[in-house]
Amino acid sequence: MTAAAQLDIDSRGVATITLNRPDVHNAFDDQLIAHLIELINQAGQDPRTRVLLLASTGKSFSAGADLAWMRRMADASREDNLRDARQLAKLMETLNGFSAPTVAKVQGAVMGGGVGLVSCCDIAVASETAFFALSEVKLGLAPAAISPYVIAKMGVSQARRFFVSGERFSAVRAAAVGLVHEVVSPAELEVKVMQIIDTLLANGPQAMRAAKQLVQVANPLRVTPELADYTAGVIADLRASEEGREGLRAFLHKDVPAWIRSGK
């Protein structure tokens, strides 16, 4: 059975974690989340690691939550949903706090939690054909666990728009709001990512770790345990709500949710 994600560390010290669920556009479920946490920690504990590259196979970087997982969690208790949301928050915290520089190589769909992963990386390079969305509100949900990291990356003003609109936006717009740093053609994506990694490898490893720590300490939007608990509670409550269940039902059945029908 092929692993949902894999870690490889090359002779230069580049640790590559690859999401490998192309058949579902690298969507998250609880098993993938746990596996990614394990791989990120493994890379961080390996003394060879100088740079972490986050990539994915297939057409999409990550399409957000897996439908089967969402269906299971809609029927789960609030306690189970809290536990689940805290695991997603732990994944974001683990990637965001990685001591060495992190680079995201982004193509195709980047939805929900995929936007969270990009937000937690130091440098993000996107194909010009990539598109992004924080579309949770269309399902009667909210981008809760990822919100502190997305807000820190794109800023409060842009988050206010895209959190409530759920609209798709292009790689060019993602660069304009600070979510990604470079936008290149699909043919240039690999080359640009390797150029950035070469630049990082030319720097002092300990100096880069210290530089990352400076940014984290100075960041006014740091994630506290209280904030993590709050965001977990938000998504647990929304998943169990009538609106959240209706949004998921409509999405799974390719139907119009009740809040649109009632507005006609």
Side-chain angles (χ1 to χ4, degrees), residues 88-147:
L88 180 57
K90 183 179 179 182
L91 169 59
M92 299 300 154
E93 179 184 358
T94 303
L95 179 59
N96 190 67
F98 196 82
S99 60
T102 53
V103 180
K105 177 184 173 184
V106 181
Q107 82 282 356
V110 192
M111 315 285 280
V115 178
L117 290 178
V118 172
S119 298
C120 290
C121 288
D122 299 315
I123 302 171
V125 184
S127 164
E128 62 190 8
T129 58
F131 62 89
F132 302 75
L134 293 152
S135 54
E136 288 87 345
V137 289
K138 295 187 179 298
L139 303 178
L141 303 175
I146 66 173
S147 61

Side-chain angles (χ1 to χ4, degrees), residues 28 35 40 89 92 141 156 183 197 203 212-213 233 238:
F28 292 156
H35 192 36
I40 295 168
M92 299 300 154
L141 303 175
V156 172
V183 177
I197 287 175
N203 300 335
K212 279 197 65 167
Q213 187 63 25
L238 285 173

Side-chain angles (χ1 to χ4, degrees), residues 30 33 69-89 141 144-145 228-241 244-245 248:
D30 50 349
I33 289 169
W69 176 48
M70 290 174 63
R71 190 182 293 112
R72 277 191 285 120
M73 296 319 298
D75 295 329
S77 68
R78 186 178 190 277
E79 290 72 25
D80 286 340
N81 269 293
L82 272 174
R83 241 185 329 268
D84 188 75
R86 285 172 177 148
Q87 271 292 93
L88 180 57
L141 303 175
D229 284 344
Y230 168 71
T231 61
V234 168
I235 194 60
D237 289 339
L238 285 173
R239 282 178 179 173
S241 70
R245 292 178 188 275
L248 181 59

